[in-house]
Amino acid sequence: MPRPGARLLLPRQLHPFAWWVWALGLATAASRTTNILLLALIGASAGYVVAARRTRAPWAAAYGVFLKLAVAVVVLRLVLQSLLVGYGGTTVLLDLPAIPLPSWMSGVRLGGPVTAEAVYSALCDGVRLGVMLLCFGAANALASPARLLRALPRALHELGVAVTVSLSAAPQLVAAVGRVRRARRLRALPVRGLRGTLSIAAPVLEEALDRALATAAALDARGYGRRDAVPAGRRAAVHALLLGGLASVVVGVYGLLDSSTTLPAGPLGAVTTGRAGPVLLAIGLLGCVAGMRLGGAAVQRTRYRPDPWALPEWATVVSGGLAALCFVLTSPAAALAPDPWSLEPPGLPLLAAAGVLCALLPAHLTPPPPGDHDRTPVSAGPGRPTDQPRKHP
């Protein structure tokens, strides 16, 4: 008899929302610091979890693309800093030929002395942006896009259908072009040049129209787009909650990135010690959740084989939240944003480092993904097999 809790560790794919919440927590932590040591730890943590828990699916290669993009961002930031704003500081690394610019471009320079302080400051800013890209790349590599769209709330099911159809349109169009070209070659008809292109376009568009009609009929047969009668007051409340919540989230994210944003004097300001970002972000998220709950109550939709949400998902979400919380609570602020113009080695805040270690927990507390050596479906729960196909002998 299997021991209690063994089913939680059976190979399966984690809920895609759990990976995205974890990645958002890491990205929030990276956005609050320019400490090169902490940023390196965050990037290494994201890469470690991706290496431990990504599958062999095509979207799992997204992390390599984001890694290259992050390196390109850092290099571009250093080049622009050296060519345009290389002044500042006293330690001159090299003296580039200065190009005179017109008077209306005052404040911008091209060439001139490049100092170590300016280069180090640009490196910290570039690495911060690059690590945030790595966090989102980790979410893209770990979460299946199709499963993510399928798990959208009922209020957003129409958006999920539109995105799914649009994502599948491009590969289907390429396959249709290939079929038409092969058919024309068998008939010794031209497939190159302007004449061949125009002759291919008509059957491809006709096939695309037929496919669109078939998709629309299938969606209608499955009840997509059907809603209950909703009172006008309820619709207004849903719109107000969603728009107000999104506006509050935008202002709250700005407040997180800019610690100088403060709340007015009053009990709310006293509770938050003068920082408006986390409060407005929490209020906005609550408003969005309430709006989606109200809006989704009128949607008639069922979900076939919903992804389970169990202890591994909660552990992943909590680890990402703890990482962000540790960076928010780290004090003094100079530990997270040391002065790059002093060229002093940055310190390592223990609380922030502990938050980064918490972000490593999904690599060990979550079930491993289904491996390629055994593609037999492993049950993730009663009646919930994984998406891996059966391996035939």
Side-chain angles (χ1 to χ4, degrees), residues 327-379:
F327 275 73
V328 171
L329 298 179
T330 297
S331 62
L336 293 179
D339 184 16
W341 300 93
S342 63
L343 291 182
E344 295 181 357
L348 186 62
L350 296 181
L351 183 58
V356 178
L357 292 179
C358 290
L360 291 172
L361 294 179
H364 304 282
L365 298 183
T366 58
D372 287 345
H373 61 279
D374 183 11
R375 289 182 176 268
T376 302
V378 180
S379 177

Side-chain angles (χ1 to χ4, degrees), residues 21-393:
V21 174
W22 169 81
L24 287 174
L26 273 185
T28 302
S31 68
R32 296 188 59 85
T33 181
T34 55
N35 190 318
I36 202 74
L37 295 179
L38 291 176
L39 291 173
L41 288 177
I42 294 174
S45 300
Y48 180 80
V49 174
V50 169
R53 287 297 180 261
R54 71 174 175 180
T55 63
R56 300 293 182 182
W59 62 81
Y63 189 76
V65 177
F66 277 85
L67 180 60
K68 296 177 182 178
L69 182 60
V71 173
V73 166
V74 175
V75 173
L76 182 61
R77 183 70 177 88
L78 290 176
V79 170
L80 292 178
Q81 178 75 20
S82 301
L83 293 179
L84 302 179
V85 212
Y87 59 92
T90 58
T91 309
V92 178
L93 295 178
L94 68 158
D95 195 355
L96 299 175
I99 300 177
L101 298 176
S103 58
W104 54 270
M105 295 184 65
S106 59
V108 179
R109 59 181 299 176
L110 187 59
V114 179
T115 62
E117 292 84 355
V119 171
Y120 183 63
S121 175
L123 178 65
C124 293
D125 291 336
V127 170
R128 175 170 61 176
L129 181 56
V131 170
M132 293 176 65
L133 289 174
L134 287 181
C135 295
F136 291 113
N140 280 276
L142 294 169
S144 167
R147 296 164 70 96
L148 179 65
L149 292 173
R150 191 177 64 182
L152 284 176
R154 287 189 294 175
L156 302 177
H157 82 286
E158 295 173 349
L159 175 63
V161 173
V163 173
T164 302
V165 172
S166 62
L167 289 177
S168 61
Q172 290 177 357
L173 185 63
V174 172
V177 172
R179 287 193 296 268
V180 174
R181 288 172 63 91
R182 286 193 297 271
R184 292 185 62 85
R185 286 197 188 97
L186 291 176
R187 295 174 175 85
L189 296 176
V191 295
R192 298 181 181 276
L194 180 60
R195 181 181 177 184
T197 303
L198 293 177
S199 60
I200 290 174
V204 168
L205 292 177
E206 181 181 0
E207 183 177 346
L209 180 60
D210 293 340
R211 190 185 308 113
L213 293 176
T215 303
L219 293 177
D220 183 70
R222 288 164 175 80
Y224 279 95
R226 298 178 184 175
R227 289 177 174 269
D228 291 335
V230 181
R234 187 171 183 175
R235 288 199 303 268
V238 170
H239 295 162
L241 286 173
L242 289 177
L243 293 178
L246 290 176
S248 182
V249 167
V250 171
V251 178
V253 170
Y254 177 80
L256 284 175
L257 298 178
D258 182 14
S259 58
S260 63
T261 304
T262 57
L263 288 172
L268 189 60
V271 171
T272 59
T273 64
R275 294 190 176 184
V279 177
L280 293 177
L281 182 59
I283 293 175
L285 291 176
L286 290 177
C288 291
V289 170
M292 286 189 291
R293 292 282 295 181
L294 283 177
V299 178
Q300 302 177 4
R301 192 196 73 163
T302 57
R303 185 178 298 140
Y304 178 66
R305 288 180 179 174
D307 292 322
W309 187 279
L311 288 179
E313 280 77 12
W314 283 114
T316 303
V317 169
V318 170
S319 65
L322 285 178
L325 182 62
C326 289
F327 275 73
V328 171
L329 298 179
T330 297
S331 62
L336 293 179
D339 184 16
W341 300 93
S342 63
L343 291 182
E344 295 181 357
L348 186 62
L350 296 181
L351 183 58
V356 178
L357 292 179
C358 290
L360 291 172
L361 294 179
H364 304 282
L365 298 183
T366 58
D372 287 345
H373 61 279
D374 183 11
R375 289 182 176 268
T376 302
V378 180
S379 177
R384 293 174 181 174
T386 61
D387 293 339
Q388 299 293 337
R390 184 182 298 273
K391 183 178 180 181
H392 298 283

